[in-house]
Amino acid sequence: MPQNTVMVEFALAIPGSLLIAALIALLIRWIFGRRLSLSLPVMMLTSLLGLSLGLLAAGWFIAGVRIWTPVPLLLAFGFSVAISFIVAALFAASRRARDRVDVDAVLSAGESDRVEFKETARWNVRESKRDSRMELAIAKTVAAFLNSGGGVLVIGANDDGEALGLDRDLSTLRVSDADRFELWLRDLFSTLLGRNAAALPRVQFDHAANGALVCCVACPSSPRPVYVTQSKDGASTDLWVRVGNSTRSFAIDEAVEYVGRHWRQRSLLRGRSG
């Protein structure tokens, strides 16, 4: 029998707490996914804090309780999950607010190398019907932003920055709502740009000052080239980039030169910042 059971329990509690904290941190990061920017070590420290508070509450309010009994373990686990979830939710909400596009400001500023307006994404205004060419134009614009310095595509606004809404596009869907429209956008990006590239843009719906609902697709600069695949066998791929306030396709020699120059500069910048 150990001569000092308190010391033995404390020694066992250290690795046990680390293991529980790691599992809780992984669970929270899995729940929040890309919305959570906190690293695993930070989430483990948060989980450990919750475990400590739970054990403190058990020892403070319950007489004669020992650390490896059900009540303190349940309190420690509950405190850890609750605190980790609250911290993760607060950070995810702050990031969402920070990354949110100011729709009216973007519309009033007009088109540029970082901003593009599209009146529709599926509906051909001139021919009054659904047109796959409109969908391809959306994918090309998103690819161009990803291959350049990033940017925002506003769907539901004309070239003058007037918000016209998404009614025509929504009418082409089986269920006419924003959620189904975002699902269609994600499927479009996955098909034409690839799954990795499709996960990069942030899709946001908002009402402009005139009340019209528009869709903002905020695109970061991609860490690798994004190609638009226009054929089912993947044989036809194009590299699209932003040149001024227009979207341009590069020929093979231009694409090779651009890829080498653009992503080499980005890697050099990352190296200097690191």
Side-chain angles (χ1 to χ4, degrees):
M1 292 293 292
Q3 300 301 310
N4 190 326
T5 57
V6 174
M7 190 72 70
V8 172
E9 289 180 352
F10 183 75
L12 294 174
I14 294 176
S17 298
L18 288 173
L19 177 60
I20 295 173
L23 293 175
I24 293 174
L26 289 171
L27 173 65
I28 297 297
R29 284 174 59 85
W30 176 78
I31 292 174
F32 284 86
R34 294 174 59 88
R35 295 173 294 170
L36 183 61
S37 58
L38 296 177
S39 64
L40 181 60
V42 172
M43 289 307 304
M44 284 185 61
L45 288 174
T46 305
S47 300
L48 280 173
L49 176 61
L51 290 171
S52 298
L53 291 176
L55 293 175
L56 178 63
W60 193 275
F61 294 106
I62 304 175
V65 70
R66 301 182 68 87
I67 190 172
W68 292 111
T69 53
V71 173
L73 289 177
L74 288 174
L75 279 174
F77 183 80
F79 269 72
S80 182
V81 171
I83 290 176
S84 298
F85 191 90
I86 291 172
V87 170
L90 290 174
F91 271 86
S94 64
R95 179 182 179 183
R96 186 165 57 249
R98 185 173 62 251
D99 294 341
R100 193 165 184 82
V101 176
D102 187 336
V103 173
D104 292 321
V106 170
L107 291 175
S108 62
E111 292 185 318
S112 66
D113 60 331
R114 297 291 184 93
V115 177
E116 175 83 6
F117 302 147
K118 293 291 186 184
E119 192 169 332
T120 61
R122 294 163 61 92
W123 189 260
N124 189 317
V125 177
R126 294 181 179 179
E127 300 179 9
S128 296
K129 66 177 183 179
R130 179 183 171 183
D131 192 338
S132 60
R133 291 174 296 180
M134 306 295 107
E135 302 175 2
L136 181 59
I138 294 295
K140 290 177 179 178
T141 302
V142 169
F145 281 137
L146 294 173
N147 287 327
S148 305
V152 177
L153 167 65
V154 181
I155 304 172
N158 61 20
D159 293 340
D160 296 326
E162 178 185 3
L164 303 177
L166 300 172
D167 291 343
R168 287 169 292 185
D169 283 333
L170 294 179
S171 67
T172 65
L173 301 173
R174 183 173 300 177
V175 179
S176 301
D177 59 22
D179 289 339
R180 185 56 61 94
F181 187 78
E182 181 175 355
L183 286 174
W184 167 77
L185 268 181
R186 295 293 184 188
D187 288 341
L188 178 71
F189 297 157
S190 295
T191 301
L192 298 182
L193 308 181
R195 292 184 179 179
N196 291 332
L200 295 176
R202 300 188 311 274
V203 178
Q204 168 190 328
F205 295 90
D206 216 337
H207 289 89
N210 64 359
L213 179 67
V214 298
C215 175
C216 296
V217 184
C219 306
S221 184
S222 174
R224 58 185 60 85
V226 175
Y227 297 93
V228 179
T229 303
Q230 300 184 44
S231 59
K232 294 182 179 180
D233 59 2
S236 176
T237 57
D238 296 318
L239 183 78
W240 291 80
V241 299
R242 292 291 288 182
V243 179
N245 62 350
S246 64
T247 300
R248 177 184 168 191
S249 175
F250 276 178
I252 295 178
D253 55 342
E254 293 176 312
V256 171
E257 180 183 354
Y258 179 83
V259 168
R261 183 180 68 253
H262 179 72
W263 276 274
R264 183 171 62 248
Q265 289 175 348
R266 291 197 59 194
S267 62
L268 289 174
L269 290 174
R270 285 198 300 270
R272 291 174 182 173
S273 62

